[in-house]
């Protein structure tokens, strides 16, 4: 199951999306995931066990190559030190820098007064490539394997987007929990099937149906609670397996 969902399911989901879009004559370049709006990227620094904003990057839209209507704020000691606005920007893969076009650069001191304020036609800036990786992402969680999910999580963690972070963490944990659930169901099936009496076997069929309903109901509920940040991600994903194991143990004890 683990190999199947790592090597077969993600590319199959991606190809299924491609086939659907081709059949419906959809231009992929016009889809929302290729033309993103209101991109917000944040970076934080830790000081005395407290997180403070270090970088705030905003772009009105991104077409896969250029971002437009840029606002960039750099912070130091919880105060703004650099303020940049630009009409557009793009990542230069050769120089490993961001190139900003037609904008204004302002440098502030600790008193929040301008030290430098100048216009520019082009400005090269050393910023993390993770901004580009964050915006230039077209796959949903079903189309990525575990390695891709971990890479995406590394990028998204810098943004402070707790919803995306939790969704990725849940997807990662599900990649491990699903194969384990196969063992849980095998244990439950063997527990229900140890009796050779026909009446017991018929009863076991009904019990199995109830157990399956309980398992998937618990899975739906615990995952929803995890997404809502009511319970930790680990327990939200793994609780159905622990619950199934506990049910199997009680059934085994009862039959013995």
């Amino acid at each position: 199951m683990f190999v199947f969902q790592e090597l077969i399911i993600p590319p199959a989901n991606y190809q299924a999306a491609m086939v659907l879009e081709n059949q419906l004559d959809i231009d992929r370049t016009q889809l929302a995931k290729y033309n993103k709006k209101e991109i917000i990227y944040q970076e934080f620094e830790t000081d005395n066990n407290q997180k403070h904003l270090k970088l705030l990057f905003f772009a009105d839209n991104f077409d896969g190559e250029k971002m437009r209507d840029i606002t960039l704020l750099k912070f130091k000691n919880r105060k703004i030190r650099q303020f940049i606005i630009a009409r557009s920007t793009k990542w230069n893969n050769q120089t490993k820098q961001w190139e900003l076009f037609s904008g204004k650069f302002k440098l502030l001191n600790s008193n929040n007064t301008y030290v430098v304020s100048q216009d520019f036609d082009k400005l090269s800036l050393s910023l993390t490539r993770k901004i580009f990786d964050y915006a230039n992402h077209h796959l949903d969680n079903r189309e990525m394997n575990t390695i891709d999910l971990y890479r995406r999580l590394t990028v998204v963690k810098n943004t402070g987007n707790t919803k995306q972070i939790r969704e990725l963490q849940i997807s990662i944990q599900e990649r491990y929990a699903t194969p384990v659930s196969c063992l849980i169901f095998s244990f439950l099936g063997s527990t229900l099937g140890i009796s050779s009496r026909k009446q017991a076997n018929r009863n076991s069929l009904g019990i199995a149906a109830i157990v399956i309903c309980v398992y998937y109901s618990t899975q739906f509920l615990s995952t929803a609670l995890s997404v809502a940040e009511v319970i930790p991600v680990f327990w939200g994903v793994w609780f159905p397996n622990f619950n199934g194991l506990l049910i199997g143990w009680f059934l085994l004890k009862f039959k013995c």
Side-chain angles (χ1 to χ4, degrees):
M1 174 62 76
F2 182 79
V3 173
F4 186 81
Q5 68 181 7
E6 285 296 295
L7 302 181
I8 298 177
I9 293 178
N13 284 334
Y14 177 76
Q15 292 298 326
M18 294 279 290
V19 170
L20 181 62
E21 291 163 10
N22 289 334
Q23 291 298 316
L24 297 178
D25 293 327
I26 297 174
D27 184 2
R28 291 182 66 83
T29 61
Q30 300 303 314
L31 294 175
K33 60 184 178 181
Y34 290 93
N35 293 273
K36 297 184 178 179
K37 308 291 185 181
E38 298 182 350
I39 299 159
I40 301 175
Y41 180 88
Q42 304 171 90
E43 284 189 356
F44 296 86
E45 60 183 357
T46 304
D47 182 23
N48 295 326
N49 296 323
Q50 292 184 340
K51 291 177 66 176
H52 304 294
L53 193 61
K54 177 183 177 182
L55 173 73
L56 176 61
F57 179 94
F58 174 82
D60 184 68
N61 60 80
F62 176 58
D63 61 6
E65 182 180 357
K66 279 190 176 183
M67 299 186 189
R68 292 178 175 81
D69 296 331
I70 310 302
T71 301
L72 173 65
L73 300 175
K74 280 189 173 183
F75 296 81
K76 187 176 182 181
N77 297 327
R78 288 182 270 181
K79 292 185 178 181
I80 299 175
R81 288 293 181 264
Q82 289 186 23
F83 173 70
I84 302 173
I85 56 174
R87 180 170 296 177
S88 63
T89 184
K90 68 176 183 179
W91 171 257
N92 189 320
N93 204 39
Q94 294 181 341
T95 61
K96 307 299 181 184
Q97 289 183 319
W98 286 92
E99 295 179 349
L100 291 86
F101 305 94
S102 302
K104 184 180 290 289
F105 172 84
K106 294 185 178 182
L107 185 65
L108 293 81
N109 60 19
S110 57
N111 297 322
N112 291 329
T113 57
Y114 294 125
V115 178
V116 177
S117 179
Q118 62 183 31
D119 297 333
F120 61 85
D121 293 325
K122 181 179 178 181
L123 175 67
S124 295
L125 201 62
S126 295
L127 288 174
T128 176
R129 177 194 162 89
K130 289 181 179 179
I131 300 174
F132 179 79
D133 294 334
Y134 173 69
N136 192 40
H137 181 76
H138 315 309
L139 302 176
D140 62 32
N141 295 349
R142 300 173 305 159
E143 298 170 352
M144 294 186 286
N145 57 31
T146 304
I147 295 176
D148 295 331
L149 288 169
Y150 273 116
R151 288 173 178 169
R152 182 63 179 168
L153 180 61
T154 302
V155 174
V156 175
K157 272 186 175 179
N158 295 316
T159 67
N161 190 327
T162 56
K163 182 180 178 180
Q164 284 192 27
I165 292 172
R166 291 186 76 86
E167 287 177 350
L168 286 165
Q169 290 174 336
I170 289 171
S171 295
I172 291 171
Q173 290 297 325
E174 286 178 342
R175 298 301 171 90
Y176 300 113
T178 302
V180 173
S181 69
C182 297
L183 300 176
I184 301 298
F185 278 112
S186 298
F187 173 59
L188 288 170
S190 60
T191 300
L192 293 171
I194 58 176
S195 177
S196 60
R197 292 181 300 167
K198 292 183 178 180
Q199 183 62 35
N201 289 335
R202 285 195 291 267
N203 293 338
S204 295
L205 182 61
I207 295 173
I210 294 172
V211 169
I212 290 172
C213 290
V214 170
Y215 178 88
Y216 284 107
S217 298
T218 304
Q219 184 183 56
F220 175 80
L221 180 61
S222 62
T223 301
L225 291 174
S226 181
V227 172
E229 302 184 28
V230 176
I231 60 176
V233 170
F234 177 83
W235 287 108
V237 176
W238 285 91
F239 180 74
N241 284 344
F242 292 137
N243 191 41
L245 191 63
L246 185 63
I247 292 173
W249 181 80
F250 274 114
L251 291 173
L252 184 62
K253 185 176 180 180
F254 173 77
K255 284 183 174 291
C256 291

